[in-house]
Amino acid sequence: MSKLPIVTLCLLLFSSAFVSAQHEHFAGFKWRVKQSDHFTLRAKSTNHDPARRYAEKVWDECVRVMPGLTDDFAKNEFRTPGGLEGSDTAPYRYTVYLVGTGNDYTNILNEEQKRSGWDVNRLRTCRVARNYADPQNRFYVLCKADPERTAGGGERDLTPAFVHGCATSILKGRSLSGNMPFWFTAGWGYYVEHRIFRLCRVYYLDFENYYKNNDNVEIKKGAVLGPGDAWTNALKKMCKKGIRETLDKISKVSILSLTPNQSGYMFALTYFLVSTDERIENYRKLIAESRGGAKVTKELLLEVYGYENDAALEADWYEFMESRDFR
């Protein structure tokens, strides 16, 4: 089975005083800088897309569910998991680095390795994926060129990766966490992708090769999660036919064992958890628990949402997936 961790995330300019207030995360680089209300975009050997077009759209989806982000950014109340500030002065802006050569990306990864202590496998994953999120939730890096080419060229459209990854990083930042459960963060990334594009195109493994090489997978027409179709349609059909993933299984998923159906059900679970005003309030409570030091677990989810057990939540979750609201 081929598995590829391809996480696969109208600009208002401000004065240079605000630009200098934003922390520099990589020494020795000269960037072309743009700023929007909530983002600092730094580009080298390429343009500022896809962040220029989609960063504020990601913000709109995040702040709708997490209104506390307004103070984190406007009042510079953002903190890393270790308690550090993200900016010298208000306002704080999330930073996106866009690089257009493999050499620049290599140098950035080398700095990150020294700072974060990443091993060879982590570095290799970042090269394959062409992007990564700061472990401290302050920035996102995208290499639009082929990382194996010293110069530029071979640029790939990383729009889905940017939207997905930026959304998950902002969620982690609001939660003051560097170690949130995969189902929670990836589910949010998929949800924001869907809200913006009505598609989910970030894969934590190669779906095509998964279906091609897994003899145990029964492929049903209209029930295969792919990049060209809305996941809601396929998932709705799966759910109605009893092709379901349990809450317990979704809460334990990992990148290495993830299946396409589990990816879809992570997305569907998040969609359910923020599908009404009341549920959004409970979602905010989960984030508040994380900010207070609690670990987001299945048990905490059940407690905050007022469910006695897995089966009770699953009944409402599956009913939602089969309804017209899941679209």
Side-chain angles (χ1 to χ4, degrees), residues 24-35:
E24 292 280 356
H25 306 107
F26 301 103
F29 285 83
K30 293 184 179 179
W31 304 95
R32 290 186 299 108
V33 181
K34 288 182 178 289
Q35 287 191 333

Side-chain angles (χ1 to χ4, degrees), residues 255-270:
I255 293 176
L256 294 179
S257 64
L258 190 65
T259 70
N261 287 7
Q262 289 169 353
S263 290
Y265 272 84
M266 281 195 302
F267 153 63
L269 178 59
T270 300

Side-chain angles (χ1 to χ4, degrees), residues 142-161:
L142 295 95
C143 179
K144 293 158 67 174
D146 182 349
E148 304 309 319
R149 297 176 60 172
T150 302
E155 285 201 3
R156 176 185 293 172
D157 180 11
L158 294 177
T159 300

Side-chain angles (χ1 to χ4, degrees), residues 12 41 60 76 107-108 110 113 117 127 142 151 153 165 167 179 185 196 244 261 269 274 279-280 311 315:
L12 178 62
L41 313 181
D60 289 342
N76 195 26
N107 289 335
I108 284 175
N110 287 341
Q113 193 276 332
R127 295 188 72 83
L142 295 95
N179 188 32
T185 57
I196 292 177
R244 298 172 175 174
N261 287 7
L269 178 59
V274 296
R279 288 171 183 157
I280 288 176

